[in-house]
């Protein structure tokens, strides 16, 4: 397997170099993204080999003061490597056609080179075997993703989004670094192998501080609220193929390390850790989908939906932490299975939806759903694939989103008889918020699909739209098929994930589940379901219903006519808009949205219409206004007051360094 890992690195570097060398050649995109696809295939083979039983640990001859440089692929890292590889392969195929959008505008070679290195960096993040090595590749991943966010650097919004992203990701890295230093101070080594179980030697206070550092550091990259602020700016600003990778798999690298740090390095020490994660996750899930519902920018809508789904994943992780603290290993394993399965499923359907959004923008040249409409007839294949993604993310059975959310619900519903009142209260509240999130997510994607694909075109570009090139359709088709298969065949996938979680929780539940997804103690009293049976019934019943209605209903003459228009010609202005669709929800949750309305009346030349009214509805950016803007203003003011230390004198700067070193020696003596 060492050869597979070497091939993975080599193909990425060849792809990056080939993209630069052939940057003016018409086959540049084929070489660059073809190499990325090969890298993804090698990664998939490597991860599958590990998941089937063998483990890889490869140490390089080089030795550093911080330990050996090594790469480890255990079951947990193999699972996330598989997610990166599957999505990376589909997005690479998609990118061959999508990159034509930038021909003559930006360098395709630069995009291909950074894309290959970015894909490689994510793979190295989940296989790093040393804390310092991890921080290096983590930073490389962050910088490469920043370069991809600002790829369209002539757009001011892309540059500002990139700046916000790089600031937030470096703040997160600072917290992660301090957490690793606390662990290394106990083990005397930066190797991850020495970190396992290190929490047992740490004082309770230090252990809790390390937990909070990791939660903030990795939570920033994952996009939990209120640390999500970069996400709805950076993902829409990046090219859509990059958005698919960032939202689909990059944010999951933070989930990967959060699981590793909490369960393997620190060990779940206190119940309040899990309760805090449950609280933050529940708020992220509900608020994320609420903000998504109010968006008219399709890519910002999907970005906020990522915040929601990260919240759902963390609900499962938080529940697993609570169960672990009470010694309920089987429930902890079930919740963690739900977390990993939803993480994988979200990678599939969110990458699919971002590629669908990219296809729409490729054809319509706008991100606003209010200027779309009627695309189902003009872009039928894109419409079908986007619809599959919308069904999956809305947790409609038997697709994959339903199965993973069902596992999470089941783990929460099976929990009872906790001794502490706060746990008895918070678990049911979490169940309610998860249910509310599911309902709002369904409404969100009914709105997104209906406004974008149904009714009549709302703009000239929408009326002239055509389906995208075959490679773009192929990339979406791969993920659409996988969204269906991972749902229908979940009875075979869940036991495989159980093999991953059992190494973390110390409990295996695969043998105690009916139909692969229902725990046996509740299979008779709670509910029973088989995804394969549901899929088979749909395959049989839907054609049967159609044939029966055709036979007994007979052939009827189809009469076409104009829609009744009350004597006034219908136009796009008469259509139901996305803003109108979300209006009722906006009113119900007005305390969260804090909407502001603007009504402008202008006189007209018509003797029959005295005034022309323009209505605008704005949502207050709560986190930016009340958290980030005050912090930014304070930082700027403090920097100005401290500017006197910038004297321009080398002697003064040497003095500062000397004082800092003395203080560090006193603190760490």
């Amino acid at each position: 397997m060492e050869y597979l890992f070497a091939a993975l690195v080599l193909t990425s570097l060849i792809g990056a170099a080939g993209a630069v060398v052939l940057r003016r050649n018409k086959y540049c995109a084929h070489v660059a993204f073809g190499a990325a696809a090969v890298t993804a295939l090698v990664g998939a083979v490597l991860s599958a080999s590990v998941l089937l039983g063998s483990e890889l640990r490869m140490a390089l001859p080089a030795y550093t003061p911080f330990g050996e440089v090594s790469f480890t692929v255990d079951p947990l890292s193999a699972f996330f490597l598989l997610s990166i590889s599957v999505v990376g392969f589909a997005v690479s195929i998609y990118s061959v056609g999508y990159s034509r959008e930038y021909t003559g505008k930006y360098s395709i070679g630069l995009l291909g080179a950074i894309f290959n290195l970015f894909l490689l960096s994510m793979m190295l993040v989940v296989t790093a075997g040393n804390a310092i090595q991890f921080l290096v590749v983590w930073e490389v991943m962050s910088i490469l993703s920043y370069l991809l966010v600002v790829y369209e650097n002539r757009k001011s919004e892309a540059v500002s989004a990139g700046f916000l992203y790089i600031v937030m990701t470096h703040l997160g890295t600072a917290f992660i670094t301090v957490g690793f230093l606390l662990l290394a101070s106990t083990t005397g080594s930066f190797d991850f192998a020495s970190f396992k179980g290190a929490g047992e030697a740490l004082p309770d206070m230090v252990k809790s501080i390390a937990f909070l550092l990791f939660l903030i550091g990795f939570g920033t990259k994952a996009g939990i609220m209120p640390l999500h602020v970069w996400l709805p700016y950076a993902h829409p600003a990046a090219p859509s193929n990059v958005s698919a990778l960032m939202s689909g798999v990059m944010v999951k690298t933070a989930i990967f390390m959060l699981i590793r740090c909490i369960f393997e390095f620190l060990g779940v020490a206190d119940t309040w850790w899990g309760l805090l994660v449950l609280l933050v996750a529940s708020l992220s899930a509900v608020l994320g989908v609420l903000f998504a519902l109010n968006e008219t920018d399709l890519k910002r809508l999907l970005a906020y939906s990522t915040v929601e789904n990260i919240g759902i994943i963390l609900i499962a992780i938080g529940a697993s932490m609570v169960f672990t603290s009470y010694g309920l290993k089987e429930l902890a394993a079930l919740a963690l299975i739900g977390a990993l399965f939803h993480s994988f499923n979200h990678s599939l359907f969110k990458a699919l939806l971002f590629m669908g959004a990219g296809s729409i923008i490729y054809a319509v040249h706008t991100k606003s759903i209010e200027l779309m409409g009627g695309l189902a007839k003009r872009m039928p294949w894109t419409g079908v694939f986007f619809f599959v993604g919308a069904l999956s993310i809305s947790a409609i059975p038997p697709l994959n989103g339903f199965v993973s959310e069902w596992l999470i619900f089941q783990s929460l519903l099976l929990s009872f008889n906790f001794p502490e009142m706060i746990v008895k209260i918070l678990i049911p509240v979490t169940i309610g918020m998860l249910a509310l999130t599911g309902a709002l997510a369904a409404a969100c994607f009914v709105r997104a699909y209906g406004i974008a694909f149904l009714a009549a075109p709302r703009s000239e570009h929408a009326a002239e739209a055509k389906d995208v090139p075959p490679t773009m359709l192929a990339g979406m088709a791969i993920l659409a098929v996988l969204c269906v298969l991972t749902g229908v065949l979940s009875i075979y996938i869940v036991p495989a994930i159980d093999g991953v979680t059992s190494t973390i929780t110390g409990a295996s539940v695969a043998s105690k589940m009916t139909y692969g997804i229902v725990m046996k103690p509740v299979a008779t009293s709670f509910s029973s379901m088989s995804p394969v049976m549901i899929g088979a019934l749909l395959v049989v019943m839907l054609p049967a219903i159609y044939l029966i209605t055709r036979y007994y209903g007979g052939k009827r003459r189809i009469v076409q006519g104009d829609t009744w228009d009350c004597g006034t010609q219908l136009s796009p202005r008469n259509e139901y808009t996305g803003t109108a669709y979300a209006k009722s929800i906006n009113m119900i949750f007005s305390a969260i949205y804090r909407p502001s309305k603007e009504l402008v009346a202008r006189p007209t030349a018509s003797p029959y219409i005295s005034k022309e009214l323009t209505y605008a509805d704005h949502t207050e950016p709560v986190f930016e206004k009340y958290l980030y803007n005050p912090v930014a203003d304070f930082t700027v003011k403090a920097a100005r007051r401290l500017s006197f230390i910038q004297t321009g004198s080398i002697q003064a700067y040497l003095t500062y360094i000397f004082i800092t070193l003395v203080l560090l020696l006193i603190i760490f003596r």
Side-chain angles (χ1 to χ4, degrees):
M1 287 195 295
E2 290 84 355
Y3 295 108
L4 285 175
F5 193 88
L8 181 148
V9 175
L10 187 61
T11 52
S12 286
L13 297 178
I14 291 173
V20 173
V21 172
L22 300 173
R23 60 186 180 277
R24 293 186 177 86
N25 192 290
K26 65 179 181 179
Y27 295 110
C28 174
H30 294 78
V31 171
F33 298 113
V38 173
T39 299
L41 282 176
V42 174
V45 172
L46 174 60
S47 56
S49 301
V50 173
L51 291 173
L52 290 174
S54 54
E55 189 169 322
L56 169 67
R57 189 177 190 281
M58 185 174 67
L60 300 183
Y63 188 85
T64 70
F66 305 107
E68 63 179 4
V69 178
S70 64
F71 297 95
T72 303
V73 187
D74 60 8
L76 182 63
S77 57
F79 180 83
F80 282 90
L81 178 60
L82 179 63
S83 178
I84 294 169
S85 300
V86 170
V87 173
F89 177 76
V91 174
S92 297
I93 300 298
Y94 174 89
S95 299
V96 174
Y98 178 78
S99 59
R100 297 178 193 172
E101 177 76 6
Y102 299 107
T103 303
K105 302 175 185 176
Y106 297 94
S107 171
I108 305 297
L110 179 63
L111 177 63
I114 301 176
F115 184 95
N116 273 275
L117 296 176
F118 177 52
L119 183 61
L120 174 63
S121 67
M122 289 189 290
M123 294 178 172
L124 295 181
V125 161
V126 298
T127 56
N130 177 286
I132 301 301
Q133 175 190 342
F134 169 84
L135 289 172
V136 170
V137 292
W138 180 265
E139 276 297 285
V140 169
M141 179 184 74
S142 299
I143 292 171
L144 291 170
S145 55
Y146 161 77
L147 293 175
L148 290 169
V149 169
V150 300
Y151 175 70
E152 299 181 49
N153 52 64
R154 300 189 195 100
K155 297 180 179 179
S156 59
E157 61 268 25
V159 176
S160 59
F163 177 75
L164 177 61
Y165 168 61
I166 202 68
V167 168
M168 290 299 296
T169 196
H170 277 90
L171 286 174
T173 302
F175 283 93
I176 296 167
T177 303
V178 177
F180 283 155
L181 288 173
L182 289 177
L183 291 176
S185 66
T186 301
T187 64
S189 170
F190 284 97
D191 292 334
F192 282 159
S194 68
F195 281 4
K196 289 189 176 181
E200 296 178 2
L202 289 173
D204 290 342
M205 179 64 72
V206 176
K207 192 188 302 185
S208 295
I209 291 172
F211 160 70
L212 292 174
L213 289 169
F214 289 134
L215 181 61
I216 294 171
F218 293 117
T220 302
K221 180 71 79 175
I224 62 173
M225 287 192 174
L227 305 172
H228 71 290
V229 65
W230 64 270
L231 202 146
Y233 292 97
H235 287 204
S240 294
N241 59 335
V242 174
S243 301
L245 277 184
M246 291 180 67
S247 190
V249 289
M250 187 194 74
V251 296
K252 305 307 186 323
T253 59
I255 298 296
F256 159 75
M257 277 307 295
L258 198 59
I259 293 173
R260 176 143 285 174
C261 290
I262 292 174
F263 286 92
E264 294 188 358
F265 296 168
L266 295 176
V268 180
D270 295 303
T271 303
W272 72 263
W273 289 15
L275 295 179
L276 177 62
V277 173
L278 277 177
L279 179 62
V280 172
S282 299
L283 291 174
S284 296
V286 173
L287 294 178
V289 72
L290 279 174
F291 284 117
L293 252 169
N294 216 37
E295 275 295 337
T296 56
D297 183 315
L298 183 56
K299 291 185 71 175
R300 277 179 66 89
L301 181 154
L302 295 175
Y304 274 119
S305 173
T306 295
V307 176
E308 169 223 338
N309 279 275
I310 289 295
I312 293 174
I313 294 167
L314 286 174
I315 284 175
I317 292 174
S320 183
M321 293 169 65
V322 172
F323 300 147
T324 300
S325 69
Y326 283 104
L328 303 172
K329 290 187 177 182
E330 291 184 354
L331 282 181
L334 180 62
L336 197 56
I337 288 171
L340 291 183
F341 197 19
H342 196 71
S343 175
F344 184 80
N345 291 340
H346 178 256
S347 298
L348 299 179
F349 58 65
K350 185 51 63 67
L352 171 59
L353 289 168
F354 263 113
M355 289 195 289
S359 298
I360 295 170
I361 297 166
Y362 184 96
V364 182
H365 308 292
T366 181
K367 298 176 186 176
S368 175
I369 60 174
E370 308 288 31
L371 298 176
M372 298 175 188
L375 297 180
K377 290 183 178 180
R378 292 158 182 81
M379 305 176 68
W381 286 110
T382 298
V384 169
F385 300 143
F386 194 94
F387 186 64
V388 171
L391 291 176
S392 297
I393 201 171
S394 301
I396 304 299
L399 279 79
N400 57 1
F402 168 77
V403 179
S404 53
E405 288 194 31
W406 160 250
L407 291 171
I408 297 170
F409 266 117
Q410 190 180 169
S411 68
L412 294 171
L413 291 166
L414 287 174
S415 60
F416 54 90
N417 293 333
F418 287 108
E420 296 181 27
M421 184 57 66
I422 184 65
V423 183
K424 291 181 178 179
I425 294 173
L426 194 54
I427 293 292
V429 169
T430 301
I431 294 171
M433 295 187 77
L434 185 57
L436 175 62
T437 300
L440 292 173
C444 177
F445 283 92
V446 167
R447 171 180 178 263
Y449 184 84
I451 301 300
F453 286 93
L454 304 182
R458 294 177 174 84
S459 66
E460 185 178 342
H461 284 301
E464 297 174 354
K466 295 185 294 185
D467 232 332
V468 292
T471 53
M472 296 174 68
L473 295 176
M476 291 188 286
I478 292 169
L479 296 186
V481 170
L482 287 175
C483 284
V484 177
L485 291 180
T486 49
V488 174
L489 302 180
S490 57
I491 59 172
Y492 305 108
I493 297 172
V494 170
I497 300 175
D498 178 68
V500 177
T501 58
S502 62
T503 63
I504 301 171
T505 62
S508 174
V509 296
S511 61
K512 301 180 179 180
M513 301 183 79
T514 303
Y515 300 124
I517 61 170
V518 182
M519 289 285 283
K520 279 184 180 177
V522 289
T524 56
S525 60
F526 183 59
S527 66
S528 182
M529 176 191 60
S530 168
V532 173
M533 184 62 68
I534 293 176
L537 284 173
L538 288 174
V539 170
V540 174
M541 292 298 293
L542 291 179
I545 292 171
Y546 173 76
L547 293 173
I548 291 170
T549 53
R550 287 282 295 177
Y551 180 78
Y552 287 103
K555 294 184 178 180
R556 298 194 177 190
R557 188 166 58 93
I558 299 174
V559 179
Q560 293 184 343
D562 295 331
T563 303
W564 176 252
D565 56 10
C566 299
T568 304
Q569 186 176 3
L570 296 179
S571 71
R573 293 186 63 185
N574 301 107
E575 293 186 62
Y576 215 68
T577 65
T579 303
Y581 184 94
K583 182 64 177 178
S584 58
I585 296 175
N586 193 309
M587 294 171 65
I588 294 170
F589 295 97
S590 58
I592 295 174
Y593 287 125
R594 297 177 179 268
S596 59
K597 302 174 180 61
E598 182 182 354
L599 187 64
V600 179
R602 300 183 184 87
T604 68
S606 171
Y608 305 104
I609 303 176
S610 59
K611 293 180 180 179
E612 179 185 55
L613 300 179
T614 302
Y615 175 82
D617 193 357
H618 304 284
T619 300
E620 184 177 70
V622 178
F623 292 101
E624 289 91 328
K625 183 176 180 179
Y626 297 103
L627 177 60
Y628 288 98
N629 288 346
V631 170
D633 292 340
F634 173 79
T635 304
V636 171
K637 289 178 182 178
R640 286 174 178 169
R641 291 196 174 186
L642 293 173
S643 61
F644 67 89
I645 66 174
Q646 292 181 288
T647 62
S649 169
I650 188 67
Q651 291 86 352
Y653 298 148
L654 290 172
T655 303
Y656 300 153
I657 295 172
F658 176 74
I659 294 172
T660 302
L661 289 174
V662 170
L663 290 174
L664 290 173
L665 288 172
I666 293 172
I667 294 171
F668 295 103
R669 62 179 177 175

